[in-house]
Amino acid sequence: MNTNAIEAAALSIRSLSMDAIQKANSGHPGLPLGAAEVAAVLYGECLKHNPANSKWVDRDRFVLSAGHGSMLAYSILHLAGYKVSMDDIKNFRQVGSKCPGHPEYGETDGIECTAGPLGQGIAASVGMAMAESMLAAKFNTPRHTIVDHYTYALVGEGCLEEGVSSEACSLAGTLKLGKLIVFYDENKISIDGNTDIVLSENIEQRYLAYGWQVLRGSMYNIKEIADLVEIAKREENKPTLIILKSTIGKGAPKAGTADVHGAPLGEEGCKAAKKALGLPENEQFYVVPGTYEYFEEKRKEWAAAEESWNKTFAEWKAENPALAEKWDAFWNGKATGEAALPAFNAGDKLATRDASGKMLNYMSDTYEWLVGGSADLQGPNKTKVKNDDGIYSAENRKGRCIEYGIREFAMSQIMSGINLHGGLRAFGATFLVFADYMRSSVRVAALAKIPNIYILTHDSIYVGEDGPTHQPIETLASLRCIPNCQVLRPGDAEESVLAWEMAMKSKNHPVCMCFTRQAISVYEKEDKNWKENYFKGAYVVKSAGANPDVTILATGSEVEMSLKAASLVSGKNIRVVSVTDKALLDENEALQKEVIGGAKRVVVAEAGCRYGWEGYAKKADLFTIDRFGESGPAAEVAKDMKFTAEDLAKIL
């Protein structure tokens, strides 16, 4: 190992970081100044990667979970030869820059994961490590190993305080993810001061209790860091936490204090830091001589490593043509099998969660790369997949059914990690009301354009006896508020089939499918092109002529309710529309005119709050629920809340 070159790289990371942050007059210098060595060692000596091909499938993954320290990542990516130029560095935190304030997946070459909210990066890392183990079990053969890489993450105290990291790391220990290596930048400082005021627990003992290997060292001993990584790699049955004692803002005048965490050092502070670190005081964006040359030589090694892998892959492919065909299907979203598509007929009565369960099994039989499970609700969510691979575990890496336990937030972020890794597509399930537990992760998935599939059952007050804690009122609206998050609430079993097809076709956004617990009828559709129009966002179920007296815009179980309510009203022509995706309807004025027709009035029917529907109907015509529910049998709850077909008929 070229210790001098690594030290020069670490010094260059500090130089670029403090200057970029100062130029932007915004940012977090504490972490890149304090933890430069771990990035330099990783990218210089430990990672299997190739900057010339940042999407090499068998590369090691690195996630900066402590995303506020993003200049650490941008600096080392620039030095290592990724597509991050010096101009990009100089435009840190500017509109349109490839170096945004926190790492964003898809914006910057070499960034594996959007990691702004603390704790979510390490949770996604767990998903990446799980994906590696699944693919290795399916595709490696006795003669050829084509999947063999590690997932690394860098966390700080903030990540370990957030509950999602505990959820995910607990599961990682249970699953014995030996190829997950996490560095803990132990500087004992956060925004408000020394973390001793809020964090008195023994982190080492906590992770030992999770089933992790825990190692300790100094952030400033380069050889020790490399040696610790090798020790971590030798432990095959436990993930590893490497605790590196550090000084936040190393070299800065206020090093070791909260003042250096999240604010530029100032011009004089930068000069003082450079003097203390042995950098030229008056040079901006200085890179220590020899650093570029060192990484230029390393890039030859990395390219050779990928080329060696390519040869192994070619040999494996020639010897295993059937497996190679499956590999192509996994990485390109192709079918791996054939199954009979579930079919339903008008008059069939079943919960849409049951229809979803049938579709999930169809998709699982058709696409072997579909993996996932629920947050301890496999039965109620109808996510039990009947396949021969079984449950994913430390003993069965081929399993496609993931038991997440009661960890909704971690489940969602692990799904993101699996999908970001590639080669697999992940789904996760819980009750709709518990989407609140994972909302922050759903938001990040939408921001990062990750096609997570969420199965959300028990979608309304018709949950019944479980009462208001389990009866979502505002949840649909809150999910719809997230940009780039698709929310589908099928009205019957036939629509549930199309919802699944829609979700599986999504490539750049998460999809939340919301299903009923109660049985509802499959209804006749007057629109002969209803399947085509379903994907547009709305279609006419019952026409009532071109100029109806009333058009009801309904979703989910309220489509059936609306049809019944219309049958109870005499002397009026009432059109019923199934709104399959409100966001698509909102964006399409032509579709709105088409489905509403020449109606004199528009009524909205949805078992949720009115928020978002106000533009379609007057307040008196919003047949919605704007208070919490009640405990009791579903029908009695609906009657008590005056949310029945008979009650809807009264306002038509």
Side-chain angles (χ1 to χ4, degrees):
M1 181 172 65
N2 189 335
T3 303
N4 290 335
I6 297 297
E7 289 176 347
L11 200 54
S12 299
I13 290 171
R14 292 187 170 97
S15 170
L16 295 175
S17 296
M18 74 172 87
D19 284 344
I21 291 166
Q22 183 58 36
K23 184 175 184 294
N25 194 30
S26 175
H28 297 72
L31 186 142
L33 286 174
E37 278 75 10
V38 71
V41 172
L42 264 183
Y43 278 82
E45 298 293 335
C46 299
L47 284 184
K48 179 172 71 172
H49 65 134
N50 183 10
N53 179 15
S54 63
K55 297 301 182 183
W56 174 22
V57 296
D58 200 40
R59 69 190 181 279
D60 289 341
R61 273 72 169 170
F62 171 73
V63 174
L64 180 62
S65 186
H68 53 275
S70 58
M71 268 312 307
L72 176 83
Y74 304 144
S75 297
I76 191 60
L77 290 172
H78 167 73
L79 296 172
Y82 287 82
K83 296 180 181 69
V84 179
S85 69
M86 183 62 81
D87 284 340
D88 294 328
I89 297 288
K90 291 178 179 178
N91 283 314
F92 174 60
R93 289 198 167 206
Q94 304 309 299
V95 174
S97 172
K98 290 182 181 179
C99 298
H102 291 77
E104 294 179 29
Y105 176 74
E107 297 298 319
T108 313
D109 189 42
I111 293 296
E112 301 282 4
C113 174
T114 295
L118 293 176
Q120 292 198 41
I122 186 174
S125 301
V126 173
M128 293 178 187
M130 289 168 63
E132 191 275 346
S133 70
M134 290 177 174
L135 293 170
K138 286 189 179 294
F139 292 106
N140 289 342
T141 63
R143 280 177 45 79
H144 297 98
T145 299
I146 60 169
V147 181
D148 182 19
H149 52 267
Y150 289 82
T151 302
Y152 298 88
L154 176 61
V155 304
E157 278 86 4
C159 290
L160 301 187
E161 288 177 35
E162 289 288 357
V164 66
S165 66
S166 297
E167 292 182 27
C169 291
S170 171
L171 184 59
T174 299
L175 294 174
K176 300 180 180 179
L177 298 175
K179 288 190 173 180
L180 175 62
I181 301 173
V182 177
F183 296 94
Y184 167 26
D185 174 27
E186 188 186 43
N187 59 48
K188 295 291 187 78
I189 295 295
S190 61
I191 292 174
D192 284 349
N194 192 293
T195 56
D196 286 345
I197 60 176
V198 294
L199 191 65
S200 62
E201 68 195 65
N202 186 315
I203 297 294
E204 179 175 352
Q205 291 298 316
R206 188 217 292 185
Y207 273 78
L208 288 171
Y210 287 155
W212 287 51
Q213 172 180 236
V214 180
L215 307 174
R216 279 190 171 273
S218 168
M219 182 68 75
Y220 309 117
N221 187 326
I222 287 171
K223 184 178 183 307
E224 184 178 42
I225 293 173
D227 289 343
L228 290 172
V229 170
E230 290 305 310
I231 294 171
K233 287 183 175 181
R234 289 197 291 270
E235 175 52 75
E236 298 180 357
N237 295 311
K238 294 180 181 180
T240 298
L241 181 71
I242 300 177
I243 302 174
L244 297 176
K245 184 67 177 175
S246 70
T247 300
I248 192 170
K250 181 177 170 62
K254 295 183 178 180
T257 72
D259 291 337
V260 79
H261 169 84
L265 302 182
E267 291 184 8
E268 293 306 313
C270 286
K271 288 182 179 180
K274 290 175 181 179
K275 182 177 181 180
L277 294 167
L279 292 164
E281 296 177 39
N282 295 309
E283 286 200 43
Q284 304 294 308
F285 300 97
Y286 177 80
V287 174
V288 178
T291 303
Y292 286 132
E293 291 77 8
Y294 164 74
F295 281 109
E296 185 177 353
E297 288 300 312
K298 296 297 294 188
R299 287 197 292 275
K300 296 176 184 177
E301 295 179 23
W302 298 330
E306 183 180 357
E307 182 58 31
S308 176
W309 181 86
N310 287 335
K311 290 179 181 178
T312 300
F313 182 80
E315 293 173 1
W316 168 86
K317 185 175 181 179
E319 290 187 16
N320 304 279
L323 209 53
E325 185 177 354
K326 184 175 288 189
W327 172 275
D328 180 64
F330 271 56
W331 287 93
N332 294 289
K334 299 177 183 178
T336 57
E338 295 183 3
L341 184 70
F344 305 96
N345 301 303
D348 291 348
K349 192 163 186 175
L350 70 161
T352 54
R353 65 169 176 166
D354 290 318
S356 170
K358 295 178 186 296
M359 275 303 292
L360 173 57
N361 273 279
Y362 163 77
M363 291 297 181
S364 182
D365 289 342
T366 307
Y367 305 105
E368 192 178 331
W369 38 261
L370 181 65
V371 302
S374 91
D376 197 52
L377 290 168
Q378 186 182 89
N381 291 152
K382 304 300 178 182
T383 53
K384 185 174 178 59
V385 177
K386 303 178 182 68
N387 64 64
D388 295 332
D389 295 322
I391 295 172
Y392 173 77
S393 67
E395 295 72 35
N396 180 27
R397 299 301 193 196
K398 290 184 178 181
R400 286 193 276 157
C401 297
I402 302 172
E403 294 282 7
Y404 285 107
I406 308 168
R407 301 181 177 99
E408 292 89 353
F409 196 170
M411 174 181 71
S412 177
Q413 202 58 14
I414 287 169
M415 290 164 56
S416 291
I418 292 172
N419 288 329
L420 286 170
H421 180 280
L424 299 167
R425 182 77 180 276
F427 70 87
T430 186
F431 291 167
L432 175 58
V433 76
F434 297 144
D436 285 343
Y437 276 124
M438 59 188 186
R439 179 182 170 80
S440 181
S441 174
V442 177
R443 180 183 184 274
V444 171
L447 171 65
K449 301 178 181 178
I450 306 172
N452 291 350
I453 296 175
Y454 298 100
I455 301 168
L456 305 172
T457 69
H458 297 58
D459 71 344
S460 70
I461 61 167
Y462 298 105
V463 170
E465 288 88 348
D466 277 337
T469 60
H470 284 51
Q471 295 169 7
I473 301 300
E474 77 294 347
T475 318
L476 279 169
S478 71
L479 290 172
R480 288 177 181 144
C481 284
I482 302 174
N484 201 43
C485 177
Q486 187 169 37
V487 181
L488 306 175
R489 189 173 180 239
D492 66 4
E494 285 188 321
E495 286 194 16
S496 299
V497 170
L498 298 191
W500 259 104
E501 291 181 0
M502 209 167 181
M504 291 292 284
K505 289 177 181 177
S506 67
K507 303 297 182 185
N508 62 358
H509 61 270
V511 178
C512 297
M513 295 185 290
C514 307
F515 298 110
T516 67
R517 176 188 185 231
Q518 78 278 16
I520 52 179
S521 297
V522 176
Y523 37 78
E524 295 278 2
K525 286 91 172 168
E526 290 186 16
D527 182 351
K528 301 305 180 185
N529 297 317
W530 77 270
K531 290 184 178 180
E532 177 184 340
N533 291 330
Y534 177 93
F535 293 101
K536 295 179 181 179
Y539 72 94
V540 176
V541 178
K542 178 179 180 294
S543 176
N547 297 294
D549 295 300
V550 181
T551 291
I552 306 174
L553 301 179
T555 75
S557 52
E558 284 65 69
V559 179
E560 181 187 29
M561 173 193 284
S562 298
L563 291 169
K564 182 178 180 181
S567 71
L568 298 175
V569 177
S570 59
K572 287 186 178 180
N573 295 319
I574 300 174
R575 174 180 290 193
V576 176
V577 174
S578 176
V579 179
T580 60
D581 182 336
K582 182 178 176 295
L584 289 179
L585 179 63
D586 289 346
E587 296 165 3
N588 191 335
E589 291 186 10
L591 180 63
Q592 292 173 27
K593 292 179 181 178
E594 179 183 335
V595 298
I596 291 172
K600 302 178 181 66
R601 287 174 60 211
V602 174
V603 171
V604 170
E606 181 171 76
C609 69
R610 70 169 67 102
Y611 184 81
W613 288 107
E614 296 91 340
Y616 288 97
K618 297 177 182 179
K619 183 177 180 180
D621 291 333
L622 294 172
F623 191 70
T624 54
I625 299 176
D626 294 284
R627 69 175 180 87
F628 294 119
E630 300 285 347
S631 295
E636 295 302 314
V637 171
K639 184 177 179 181
D640 179 75
M641 298 186 73
K642 300 187 185 313
F643 199 79
T644 66
E646 290 75 15
D647 292 304
L648 174 57
K650 291 176 184 177
I651 71 168
L652 296 178

